[in-house]
Amino acid sequence: YPRPDLNAISDKDEAKVELVKKILRDLRSLKITLGLTDSYKTDAIVSATGDEFIEFVKNEGEYIKTGASLSSIEFSDRAKRDGYIFTGSYGYECSVKVPFDVDITARLKRIKKDIDKNNALLCEAEKKLSSQDFINKASENAVQKERNKREEAEETLKKLNESYEILLSWEK
């Protein structure tokens, strides 16, 4: 079997791969925020700073386009445009074109409903975990299950709140 050559691993190349993964994650997240299925193809714009970075992202454009299920991807010095929702990260920005048939108000209501549901789950888990009676009487598995529920609700809330803010800013 082939063995990896650990000397060939480059921190610079690893950082570039991580960057592509972040861009893919952000583009997919924007599509999910709009309620678009993964198979729905839409247009996207990616902007970046630094010549080497821009060139690398352009070279990986086809991979990004395929990985995020895009109909087209444009590389520009500015990702914010009318008709697109936008997110920015350190060193790059991404935006996805909003299809004409997406009802932003309905998406906001749906996300708000999900936020309320997850807030209730979080409160329930925190209430149990703050009860010394529960901690003393419940099995370690039951306590861990509640901790996991709390962590999952917190992570979900973080993502939902980010999506809500993105859509809210686009609607204005």
Side-chain angles (χ1 to χ4, degrees), residues 108-163:
L108 284 166
K109 286 180 185 176
R110 175 66 191 172
I111 292 171
K112 180 70 173 119
K113 184 178 174 183
D114 289 344
I115 288 171
D116 293 343
K117 176 184 166 188
N118 277 278
N119 271 326
L121 292 171
L122 180 60
C123 287
E124 181 183 318
E126 286 179 340
K127 183 178 178 182
K128 282 185 180 180
L129 291 169
S130 67
S131 167
Q132 198 59 42
D133 198 37
F134 172 76
I135 299 294
N136 292 336
K137 291 180 180 178
S139 68
E140 183 56 37
N141 283 345
V143 173
Q144 188 58 46
K145 187 175 178 182
E146 287 305 314
R147 287 183 183 131
N148 292 345
K149 282 183 188 178
R150 179 181 60 193
E151 287 176 25
E152 187 177 319
E154 287 172 340
E155 185 63 31
T156 301
L157 277 169
K158 180 182 172 195
K159 290 176 184 176
L160 288 169
N161 283 318
E162 287 172 4
S163 293

Coordinates of all heavy atoms in Angstrom, one line a residue, residues 108-163:
L108 N -38.3 34.1 6.5 CA -38.0 34.7 7.8 C -39.0 34.1 8.9 O -38.5 33.8 10.0 CB -38.2 36.2 7.7 CG -37.0 36.9 7.1 CD1 -37.4 38.4 6.8 CD2 -35.8 36.9 8.0
K109 N -40.2 34.0 8.5 CA -41.2 33.4 9.4 C -40.9 32.0 9.8 O -40.9 31.6 11.0 CB -42.6 33.5 8.8 CG -43.2 34.8 8.8 CD -44.6 34.8 8.2 CE -45.2 36.2 8.1 NZ -46.5 36.2 7.5
R110 N -40.5 31.2 8.8 CA -40.1 29.8 9.0 C -38.9 29.7 9.9 O -38.8 28.9 10.9 CB -39.8 29.1 7.7 CG -39.3 27.7 7.8 CD -40.4 26.8 8.3 NE -39.8 25.5 8.7 CZ -40.4 24.6 9.3 NH1 -41.6 24.7 9.7 NH2 -39.7 23.5 9.6
I111 N -37.9 30.5 9.7 CA -36.7 30.5 10.5 C -37.0 30.9 11.9 O -36.5 30.4 12.9 CB -35.5 31.3 9.8 CG1 -35.1 30.7 8.5 CG2 -34.4 31.5 10.8 CD1 -34.1 31.5 7.7
K112 N -37.8 32.0 12.0 CA -38.2 32.4 13.4 C -38.9 31.3 14.2 O -38.7 31.1 15.3 CB -39.1 33.7 13.2 CG -39.6 34.2 14.6 CD -38.4 34.9 15.3 CE -39.0 35.6 16.5 NZ -38.4 35.1 17.8
K113 N -39.8 30.6 13.5 CA -40.5 29.5 14.1 C -39.4 28.4 14.6 O -39.6 27.9 15.7 CB -41.5 28.8 13.1 CG -42.3 27.7 13.7 CD -43.3 27.2 12.6 CE -44.0 26.0 13.1 NZ -44.9 25.4 12.1
D114 N -38.4 28.1 13.8 CA -37.4 27.2 14.1 C -36.6 27.7 15.3 O -36.1 26.9 16.2 CB -36.5 26.9 12.9 CG -37.2 26.0 11.9 OD1 -38.3 25.4 12.2 OD2 -36.7 26.0 10.7
I115 N -36.3 29.0 15.3 CA -35.6 29.6 16.4 C -36.3 29.4 17.7 O -35.8 29.0 18.7 CB -35.3 31.1 16.1 CG1 -34.2 31.3 15.1 CG2 -34.9 31.8 17.4 CD1 -34.0 32.7 14.6
D116 N -37.6 29.7 17.7 CA -38.5 29.6 18.9 C -38.5 28.1 19.4 O -38.4 27.9 20.6 CB -39.9 30.0 18.6 CG -40.0 31.6 18.4 OD1 -39.0 32.3 18.7 OD2 -41.0 32.0 17.8
K117 N -38.6 27.2 18.4 CA -38.6 25.8 18.8 C -37.3 25.4 19.5 O -37.3 24.7 20.5 CB -38.8 24.9 17.5 CG -38.8 23.4 17.7 CD -39.0 22.7 16.4 CE -38.6 21.3 16.5 NZ -38.5 20.6 15.2
N118 N -36.2 25.8 18.9 CA -34.9 25.4 19.4 C -34.6 26.2 20.8 O -33.9 25.6 21.6 CB -33.8 25.7 18.4 CG -33.6 24.5 17.5 OD1 -33.0 23.5 17.8 ND2 -34.3 24.6 16.3
N119 N -35.1 27.4 20.9 CA -35.0 28.1 22.2 C -35.7 27.3 23.3 O -35.2 27.1 24.4 CB -35.6 29.5 22.1 CG -34.5 30.5 21.7 OD1 -33.4 30.4 22.1 ND2 -35.0 31.5 21.0
A120 N -36.9 26.7 23.0 CA -37.6 25.9 23.9 C -36.8 24.6 24.3 O -36.8 24.3 25.5 CB -39.0 25.6 23.4
L121 N -36.3 24.0 23.3 CA -35.4 22.8 23.5 C -34.2 23.1 24.4 O -33.9 22.4 25.3 CB -35.0 22.2 22.2 CG -36.0 21.5 21.3 CD1 -35.4 21.2 20.0 CD2 -36.6 20.3 22.0
L122 N -33.6 24.3 24.1 CA -32.5 24.7 24.9 C -32.9 25.0 26.4 O -32.2 24.5 27.3 CB -31.8 25.9 24.3 CG -30.6 26.5 25.0 CD1 -29.5 25.5 25.1 CD2 -30.1 27.8 24.3
C123 N -34.0 25.7 26.6 CA -34.4 26.0 27.9 C -34.8 24.7 28.7 O -34.5 24.6 29.9 CB -35.7 26.9 27.9 SG -35.3 28.6 27.4
E124 N -35.4 23.7 28.0 CA -35.8 22.5 28.6 C -34.5 21.7 29.1 O -34.4 21.2 30.2 CB -36.6 21.6 27.6 CG -37.0 20.3 28.2 CD -37.7 19.5 27.1 OE1 -38.5 20.1 26.3 OE2 -37.5 18.3 27.0
A125 N -33.5 21.7 28.2 CA -32.3 21.0 28.6 C -31.5 21.7 29.7 O -31.0 21.0 30.6 CB -31.4 20.9 27.3
E126 N -31.5 23.0 29.6 CA -30.8 23.8 30.7 C -31.5 23.6 32.0 O -30.9 23.6 33.1 CB -30.7 25.2 30.3 CG -29.6 25.4 29.2 CD -29.5 26.9 28.8 OE1 -30.4 27.7 29.0 OE2 -28.4 27.2 28.2
K127 N -32.9 23.6 32.0 CA -33.6 23.4 33.2 C -33.3 22.1 33.9 O -33.1 22.0 35.1 CB -35.1 23.5 32.9 CG -36.0 23.4 34.1 CD -37.5 23.6 33.7 CE -38.4 23.4 35.0 NZ -39.8 23.5 34.6
K128 N -33.3 21.0 33.1 CA -32.9 19.7 33.6 C -31.5 19.7 34.2 O -31.2 19.2 35.3 CB -33.1 18.6 32.6 CG -34.5 18.2 32.3 CD -34.5 17.0 31.3 CE -35.9 16.6 31.0 NZ -35.9 15.5 30.1
L129 N -30.6 20.3 33.4 CA -29.2 20.2 33.8 C -28.9 21.1 35.0 O -27.9 20.9 35.7 CB -28.3 20.6 32.6 CG -28.2 19.6 31.5 CD1 -27.5 20.1 30.3 CD2 -27.5 18.3 32.0
S130 N -29.7 22.1 35.3 CA -29.5 23.0 36.4 C -30.2 22.4 37.7 O -30.0 22.9 38.8 CB -30.1 24.4 36.1 OG -31.5 24.3 36.0
S131 N -31.0 21.3 37.5 CA -31.6 20.7 38.6 C -30.7 19.7 39.3 O -30.3 18.7 38.7 CB -32.9 20.0 38.2 OG -33.4 19.1 39.2
Q132 N -30.3 20.0 40.5 CA -29.4 19.1 41.3 C -30.1 17.7 41.5 O -29.4 16.7 41.5 CB -29.0 19.7 42.6 CG -27.8 19.1 43.2 CD -26.5 19.2 42.3 OE1 -26.3 20.2 41.7 NE2 -25.8 18.1 42.2
D133 N -31.4 17.8 41.6 CA -32.2 16.5 41.8 C -32.0 15.6 40.5 O -31.8 14.4 40.7 CB -33.6 16.9 42.0 CG -34.4 15.7 42.6 OD1 -33.8 15.0 43.5 OD2 -35.6 15.6 42.3
F134 N -32.1 16.2 39.4 CA -31.9 15.5 38.1 C -30.5 14.9 38.0 O -30.3 13.7 37.7 CB -32.2 16.4 36.9 CG -31.9 15.7 35.6 CD1 -32.7 14.7 35.0 CD2 -30.8 16.1 34.9 CE1 -32.4 14.1 33.8 CE2 -30.5 15.5 33.6 CZ -31.3 14.5 33.1
I135 N -29.5 15.7 38.3 CA -28.1 15.3 38.2 C -27.9 14.1 39.2 O -27.2 13.2 38.8 CB -27.2 16.5 38.5 CG1 -27.4 17.6 37.5 CG2 -25.7 16.0 38.6 CD1 -27.0 17.3 36.1
N136 N -28.4 14.2 40.4 CA -28.2 13.2 41.4 C -28.9 11.8 41.1 O -28.4 10.8 41.3 CB -28.6 13.6 42.8 CG -27.7 14.7 43.3 OD1 -26.5 14.9 42.8 ND2 -28.2 15.5 44.2
K137 N -30.1 11.9 40.5 CA -30.9 10.7 40.3 C -30.8 10.1 38.9 O -31.0 8.9 38.8 CB -32.4 11.1 40.5 CG -32.7 11.4 42.0 CD -34.2 11.7 42.2 CE -34.5 12.0 43.6 NZ -35.9 12.3 43.8
A138 N -30.5 10.9 37.9 CA -30.4 10.4 36.6 C -29.1 9.6 36.3 O -28.1 9.9 37.0 CB -30.5 11.5 35.6
S139 N -29.2 8.7 35.4 CA -27.9 8.0 35.0 C -27.0 8.9 34.3 O -27.4 10.0 33.8 CB -28.3 6.8 34.1 OG -28.7 7.2 32.9
E140 N -25.7 8.5 34.2 CA -24.7 9.4 33.5 C -25.1 9.5 32.0 O -24.9 10.5 31.4 CB -23.3 8.8 33.7 CG -22.3 9.6 33.0 CD -22.2 11.1 33.5 OE1 -22.4 11.3 34.7 OE2 -21.9 11.9 32.6
N141 N -25.7 8.4 31.5 CA -26.2 8.5 30.1 C -27.3 9.5 29.9 O -27.3 10.2 28.9 CB -26.6 7.1 29.6 CG -25.5 6.1 29.3 OD1 -24.4 6.6 29.2 ND2 -25.8 4.9 29.2
A142 N -28.2 9.6 30.8 CA -29.3 10.5 30.7 C -28.8 12.0 30.8 O -29.2 12.9 30.1 CB -30.3 10.3 31.8
V143 N -27.8 12.2 31.7 CA -27.3 13.5 31.9 C -26.5 13.9 30.6 O -26.6 15.0 30.1 CB -26.3 13.6 33.1 CG1 -25.6 14.9 33.2 CG2 -27.1 13.3 34.4
Q144 N -25.7 13.0 30.1 CA -24.9 13.2 28.9 C -25.9 13.5 27.7 O -25.6 14.4 26.9 CB -24.0 12.1 28.5 CG -23.1 12.4 27.4 CD -22.2 13.6 27.7 OE1 -21.6 13.8 28.7 NE2 -22.1 14.5 26.7
K145 N -27.0 12.8 27.7 CA -28.0 13.0 26.6 C -28.5 14.4 26.6 O -28.7 15.1 25.6 CB -29.1 12.0 26.7 CG -30.1 12.0 25.6 CD -31.1 10.9 25.8 CE -32.1 10.9 24.7 NZ -33.2 9.9 24.9
E146 N -28.8 14.9 27.8 CA -29.3 16.3 28.0 C -28.2 17.3 27.6 O -28.5 18.3 27.0 CB -29.8 16.6 29.4 CG -31.1 15.9 29.7 CD -32.2 16.2 28.8 OE1 -32.4 17.4 28.5 OE2 -32.9 15.3 28.4
R147 N -26.9 17.0 28.0 CA -25.8 17.9 27.6 C -25.7 18.0 26.1 O -25.5 19.0 25.5 CB -24.5 17.4 28.2 CG -24.4 17.7 29.7 CD -23.0 17.2 30.2 NE -23.0 17.4 31.6 CZ -22.6 16.5 32.5 NH1 -22.1 15.3 32.1 NH2 -22.6 16.8 33.8
N148 N -25.9 16.8 25.4 CA -25.8 16.8 24.0 C -27.0 17.5 23.3 O -26.8 18.2 22.3 CB -25.8 15.3 23.5 CG -24.6 14.6 23.8 OD1 -23.6 15.1 24.2 ND2 -24.6 13.2 23.7
K149 N -28.2 17.4 23.9 CA -29.3 18.2 23.4 C -29.1 19.7 23.5 O -29.4 20.4 22.6 CB -30.6 17.8 24.3 CG -31.2 16.5 23.9 CD -32.5 16.4 24.8 CE -33.1 15.0 24.6 NZ -34.3 14.9 25.5
R150 N -28.5 20.1 24.7 CA -28.2 21.5 24.9 C -27.2 22.0 23.8 O -27.4 23.0 23.2 CB -27.6 21.7 26.3 CG -27.2 23.2 26.5 CD -26.7 23.4 27.9 NE -25.5 22.6 28.1 CZ -24.9 22.4 29.2 NH1 -25.4 22.9 30.3 NH2 -23.8 21.7 29.3
E151 N -26.1 21.2 23.6 CA -25.1 21.6 22.6 C -25.7 21.7 21.2 O -25.4 22.6 20.4 CB -23.9 20.6 22.6 CG -23.0 20.7 23.9 CD -21.9 19.7 23.9 OE1 -21.6 19.2 22.8 OE2 -21.5 19.4 25.0
E152 N -26.5 20.7 20.9 CA -27.1 20.7 19.5 C -28.1 21.9 19.4 O -28.0 22.5 18.3 CB -27.9 19.4 19.4 CG -28.4 19.2 18.0 CD -29.1 17.8 17.8 OE1 -28.6 16.8 18.3 OE2 -30.2 17.8 17.1
A153 N -28.8 22.2 20.4 CA -29.8 23.3 20.3 C -29.0 24.6 20.2 O -29.3 25.5 19.4 CB -30.7 23.4 21.5
E154 N -27.9 24.8 20.9 CA -27.0 26.0 20.8 C -26.4 26.1 19.4 O -26.5 27.2 18.8 CB -25.9 25.9 21.8 CG -26.4 26.1 23.3 CD -25.3 25.9 24.3 OE1 -24.3 25.2 24.0 OE2 -25.5 26.4 25.4
E155 N -25.9 25.0 18.8 CA -25.3 25.1 17.5 C -26.4 25.4 16.5 O -26.2 26.2 15.6 CB -24.7 23.7 17.2 CG -23.9 23.7 15.9 CD -22.8 24.7 15.8 OE1 -22.1 25.0 16.8 OE2 -22.5 25.2 14.7
T156 N -27.6 24.8 16.6 CA -28.6 25.0 15.6 C -29.1 26.5 15.7 O -29.3 27.1 14.7 CB -29.8 24.1 15.9 OG1 -29.3 22.7 15.7 CG2 -31.0 24.3 14.9
L157 N -29.2 27.0 17.0 CA -29.6 28.4 17.1 C -28.7 29.3 16.5 O -29.0 30.3 15.9 CB -29.8 28.7 18.6 CG -31.1 28.3 19.2 CD1 -31.1 28.4 20.8 CD2 -32.3 29.2 18.7
K158 N -27.4 29.0 16.7 CA -26.4 29.9 16.1 C -26.6 30.0 14.6 O -26.6 31.1 14.0 CB -25.0 29.3 16.4 CG -23.8 30.2 15.9 CD -22.5 29.5 16.2 CE -21.4 30.3 15.4 NZ -20.1 29.5 15.4
K159 N -26.7 28.8 13.9 CA -26.9 28.8 12.5 C -28.2 29.5 12.1 O -28.3 30.2 11.1 CB -26.9 27.4 12.0 CG -25.5 26.7 12.1 CD -25.6 25.3 11.6 CE -24.3 24.6 11.8 NZ -24.3 23.1 11.5
L160 N -29.3 29.2 12.8 CA -30.6 29.8 12.5 C -30.5 31.4 12.6 O -31.0 32.1 11.8 CB -31.7 29.3 13.4 CG -32.1 27.9 13.1 CD1 -33.0 27.3 14.2 CD2 -32.8 27.8 11.7
N161 N -29.9 31.8 13.7 CA -29.8 33.3 13.9 C -28.9 33.9 12.8 O -29.2 35.0 12.3 CB -29.2 33.6 15.3 CG -30.2 33.4 16.3 OD1 -31.4 33.8 16.2 ND2 -29.8 32.8 17.5
E162 N -27.9 33.2 12.3 CA -27.1 33.8 11.2 C -27.9 33.9 10.0 O -27.9 34.9 9.3 CB -25.9 32.9 11.0 CG -24.8 33.0 12.0 CD -23.7 32.0 11.8 OE1 -23.7 31.2 10.9 OE2 -22.8 31.9 12.7
S163 N -28.7 32.8 9.7 CA -29.6 32.8 8.5 C -30.6 33.9 8.6 O -30.9 34.6 7.6 CB -30.3 31.5 8.3 OG -29.3 30.5 8.1

